[in-house]
Amino acid sequence: MAKKGGRASVTQKGKGVGSTGLTKQKRAESKLKALSQQMEAQLNQFESVMSSLPDFVYHFDLEGRFTYANQSLLDLLEKTREEVVGRNFHDLDYPPELATRLQQQIQEVIKTGRPLKDETPYTSALGARQYEYLFSPLPGKGKVEAVAGVTRDITERVAGEQQLRHSEERFRLLVDGARDYAIFQINLENKIIYWSAGAERNFGWTAEEALGQPGRLIFTPEDRAIKREETEMRIALKEGCASDRRWHIRKDGTRIWVDGVMRRLDDAEGNLRGFAKIARDATEERAAEEDLRRARDELELRVEERTRDLTAINRELERTMAERQMLEKELLEISEREKRRIGEDLHDIICQELTATALFLKSRAKNVEAESPDAAATLEESAQIVNRNVGLARDLARGLQPADLKGAGLKRALHALADQACEKGEMKCHFRAARGVRVTDDTIALHLYRVAQEAVNNAVKHSGAKNLLIVLDKNTENVCVTVEDDGKGFSPRRRSKGLGLHIMRYRANALGGHLKIEKRKRGGMQITCVIPVKQ
């Protein structure tokens, strides 16, 4: 029993020990599996992160062979990870020169233990690109155990930098080439931070002398005293720019008249960066402007003096012309009075004497008719001749003594003139007057009648016309009389030997009017006398 029990006890003990060992092993395996899963998850997470990066991430062993490459690099090389890991740059068909340089740089990092940064162009399926790469040592137990690398595509950045360099170069060429313009920049502390070749040429200070100097460097002492440069900066700060047209000073102390402007400079976000000043030497232009202003002032003074002289001369001329016009009117009035007197003498004396003579001759003819019939016939014929001369004298008297011209008298007189023209031959003469036309000025009426009378007499004597028209017209400014005929006409430009046209012009001019002599399109002449009406 005892033995039995003893064996049983041993057996149970053995079974207990074996069971505990298995449990620990299972636990270790479970932990190992969990750790493996955790590491795998971390590796997957790491791989996801590395694959999402646009940069190329990789590392090498001490022989320069790839031990890891992220997906971005694999996509560039168009290879799988298995095709890359364990191979160097030569194996991956890199350009021989580039592969050799990269392998040497990896060995340099392993040897020195220091990172190495470089750039290289590389052509792939993406085209020709520029890359920047960094090789970093991975230390372990006091020595370098591997090399990690990161490569970034910097094509756009390089292109932007190159474009910026070209832009800056163009800017420098533009600014330095504008030697007539002084261009410089001031920072927020009012210090000069840029000084162009044009500024050096205009103001005399070199860039080394001007840089770091305050903006008042070029201002005159009087402008410095009132802090003029600060005023310009405040205006430019508020309004964007400030005009600068004043005297400035050069390095040698001479003064220069500047025509320029100060502008505020903002960055892309609109923040103030400083101020730029652009100035041009306008000293000679200012001197020319001053000379021109003085010349203009002198000219204006001379013009004023000459104007005063001309005004005085004009007044004297107007006075003389007024006196002459008054004298001409008086002469015309005297002439009219003389014509009227002669007409009255013709009518009252000559005509009466001639009429008495004719009666006497007729009476004598009757007395001697019985004794001498021939003598009586001669006396009778003489009486008839005297009577004809009486008619001629009366016509002359009537021409020298026109009818009453007051009110509507001018129209009646012109109508009578037309009738007289018809009596002198086969010519038909008509008179036409505008409705309501009245000439209230006796002097104007008289001269218009005399002009019409002279024109009609000339037409009757010389034109050979069959028709004659007298027209009286008036508007708010002028009154005019026109005589038209359909005769042979004459050239108005030829100098007339007679006095008729001269007298007509004289009468028109004496009243401030004018005489127009024109050929009619259908033959004949048209003579118009235009006289202004007093308002």
Side-chain angles (χ1 to χ4, degrees):
M1 291 290 293
K3 286 181 182 179
K4 224 183 237 187
R7 277 197 297 270
S9 176
V10 172
T11 302
Q12 290 175 357
K13 187 176 180 180
K15 285 182 180 180
V17 172
S19 176
T20 301
L22 289 173
T23 302
K24 288 181 178 181
Q25 183 178 355
K26 287 180 179 180
R27 288 177 180 174
E29 289 176 353
S30 178
K31 288 182 179 180
L32 182 61
K33 184 176 180 181
L35 183 60
S36 175
Q37 291 176 346
Q38 184 179 0
M39 290 181 66
E40 186 176 355
Q42 290 178 349
L43 285 173
N44 290 335
Q45 187 177 7
F46 172 79
E47 184 60 32
S48 297
V49 172
M50 291 297 102
S51 297
S52 65
L53 292 175
D55 296 340
F56 309 145
V57 181
Y58 45 88
H59 54 78
F60 312 98
D61 60 16
L62 297 179
E63 299 298 327
R65 294 186 294 263
F66 280 93
T67 56
Y68 173 78
N70 72 340
Q71 191 61 43
S72 297
L73 178 57
L74 297 177
D75 292 341
L76 175 72
L77 299 176
E78 296 182 332
K79 297 183 182 296
T80 63
R81 186 169 284 113
E82 288 75 16
E83 291 173 328
V84 172
V85 173
R87 291 175 174 81
N88 59 28
F89 288 107
H90 290 287
D91 299 332
L92 296 174
D93 297 327
Y94 267 62
E97 232 177 82
L98 177 59
T100 300
R101 177 158 65 92
L102 295 173
Q103 293 298 143
Q104 290 175 350
Q105 289 176 336
I106 292 172
Q107 295 304 316
E108 183 180 348
V109 171
I110 294 172
K111 182 178 179 181
T112 61
R114 292 194 298 270
L116 184 147
K117 187 176 182 180
D118 201 355
E119 294 180 11
T120 183
Y122 184 76
T123 302
S124 66
L126 299 177
R129 312 288 289 178
Q130 185 74 16
Y131 294 94
E132 178 185 71
Y133 59 90
L134 174 66
F135 292 160
S136 300
L138 297 177
K141 296 182 181 181
K143 62 180 181 179
V144 176
E145 292 187 349
V147 175
V150 178
T151 299
R152 175 169 293 174
D153 187 344
I154 60 170
T155 306
E156 283 74 16
R157 191 187 77 187
V158 170
E161 291 174 351
Q162 186 175 9
Q163 184 177 3
L164 180 61
R165 283 194 300 272
H166 290 165
S167 177
E168 291 176 349
E169 182 65 22
R170 287 194 299 270
F171 173 76
R172 282 194 298 272
L173 290 174
L174 175 64
V175 172
D176 291 340
R179 296 182 60 80
D180 291 336
Y181 290 84
I183 303 174
F184 59 95
Q185 186 177 346
I186 303 171
N187 62 14
L188 297 179
E189 287 74 34
N190 195 16
K191 300 293 183 182
I192 297 174
I193 59 174
Y194 174 76
W195 188 261
S196 72
E200 181 175 340
R201 177 177 177 272
N202 282 279
F203 293 109
W205 284 280
T206 64
E208 290 76 11
E209 294 171 331
L211 294 178
Q213 295 292 328
R216 63 176 178 272
L217 176 67
I218 63 171
F219 281 81
T220 60
E222 52 269 29
D223 281 344
R224 292 181 187 179
I226 61 174
K227 297 183 178 180
R228 182 63 199 179
E229 77 281 3
E230 295 181 6
T231 302
E232 277 189 14
M233 293 173 70
R234 284 197 300 270
I235 295 174
L237 184 63
K238 180 180 179 181
E239 301 181 5
C241 67
S243 176
D244 180 23
R245 299 186 78 249
R246 61 180 53 81
W247 289 106
H248 285 286
I249 195 165
R250 291 189 176 99
K251 179 182 178 180
D252 59 7
T254 59
R255 299 203 171 199
I256 174 177
W257 180 264
V258 162
D259 184 0
V261 64
M262 176 181 283
R263 291 189 173 276
R264 62 175 289 166
L265 300 177
D266 298 333
D267 58 18
E269 287 74 28
N271 300 316
L272 179 65
R273 293 184 56 189
F275 301 90
K277 190 152 189 172
I278 304 171
R280 181 176 62 87
D281 182 0
T283 308
E284 294 182 358
E285 291 181 12
R286 179 175 171 80
E289 289 175 359
E290 290 294 330
D291 293 341
L292 182 60
R293 185 161 45 249
R294 283 193 296 270
R296 186 171 59 248
D297 293 342
E298 293 175 0
L299 179 60
E300 288 178 354
L301 183 60
R302 289 199 296 270
V303 168
E304 289 178 0
E305 294 175 353
R306 185 59 178 164
T307 302
R308 286 195 296 271
D309 295 341
L310 291 175
T311 302
I313 293 172
N314 187 56
R315 289 199 190 101
E316 180 64 23
L317 181 61
E318 288 177 351
R319 186 185 64 79
T320 303
M321 291 176 64
E323 290 179 355
R324 177 179 175 179
Q325 193 171 24
M326 184 177 65
L327 289 173
E328 289 176 346
K329 288 182 179 180
E330 290 179 357
L331 287 173
L332 290 173
E333 290 174 359
I334 292 170
S335 174
E336 289 300 324
R337 286 199 299 269
E338 285 300 310
K339 285 182 178 181
R340 190 179 295 275
R341 184 184 63 79
I342 293 170
E344 290 175 353
D345 289 344
L346 282 172
H347 184 272
D348 297 340
I349 299 175
I350 302 300
C351 287
Q352 290 180 9
E353 290 292 331
L354 289 173
T355 301
T357 302
L359 292 173
F360 175 76
L361 290 173
K362 286 182 177 182
S363 175
R364 292 298 297 168
K366 289 180 180 181
N367 292 334
V368 299
E369 184 176 6
E371 298 178 359
S372 178
D374 292 338
T378 300
L379 291 173
E380 186 68 30
E381 185 179 354
S382 298
Q384 292 176 1
I385 292 172
V386 170
N387 281 330
R388 287 199 298 271
N389 287 330
V390 170
L392 291 173
R394 284 175 178 172
D395 287 342
L396 286 173
R398 186 169 52 184
L400 292 172
Q401 289 180 293
D404 185 11
L405 301 177
K406 295 182 179 179
L410 178 60
K411 288 194 289 186
R412 288 194 299 269
L414 292 175
H415 197 285
L417 181 63
D419 292 340
Q420 291 174 19
C422 292
E423 295 172 356
K424 294 181 179 180
E426 297 180 356
M427 180 183 293
K428 294 180 180 179
C429 186
H430 303 278
F431 170 69
R432 187 173 67 223
R435 179 178 297 178
V437 60
R438 292 176 63 85
V439 180
T440 58
D441 190 303
D442 297 344
T443 302
I444 292 177
L446 175 61
H447 289 300
L448 286 175
Y449 175 81
R450 289 301 186 192
V451 169
Q453 185 182 42
E454 184 67 29
V456 168
N457 289 335
N458 288 339
V460 170
K461 293 177 182 179
H462 307 294
S463 69
K466 294 182 178 180
N467 295 284
L468 193 65
L469 176 64
I470 304 172
V471 179
L472 179 64
D473 200 1
K474 183 181 179 181
N475 57 26
T476 56
E477 297 179 355
N478 302 297
V479 61
C480 69
V481 63
T482 302
V483 176
E484 296 183 5
D485 68 72
D486 58 358
K488 60 185 178 181
F490 61 91
S491 175
R493 296 182 180 179
R494 291 184 61 185
R495 184 180 295 274
S496 175
K497 296 180 180 180
L499 295 176
L501 293 178
H502 297 290
I503 293 174
M504 285 190 285
R505 285 196 179 95
Y506 184 79
R507 289 182 182 277
N509 294 335
L511 297 176
H514 61 278
L515 187 74
K516 293 193 297 184
I517 304 175
E518 300 172 317
K519 283 189 174 183
R520 297 173 70 241
K521 292 181 180 180
R522 291 176 292 179
M525 299 299 294
Q526 176 178 294
I527 299 175
T528 303
C529 179
V530 180
I531 305 297
V533 179
K534 294 181 181 179
Q535 299 295 328

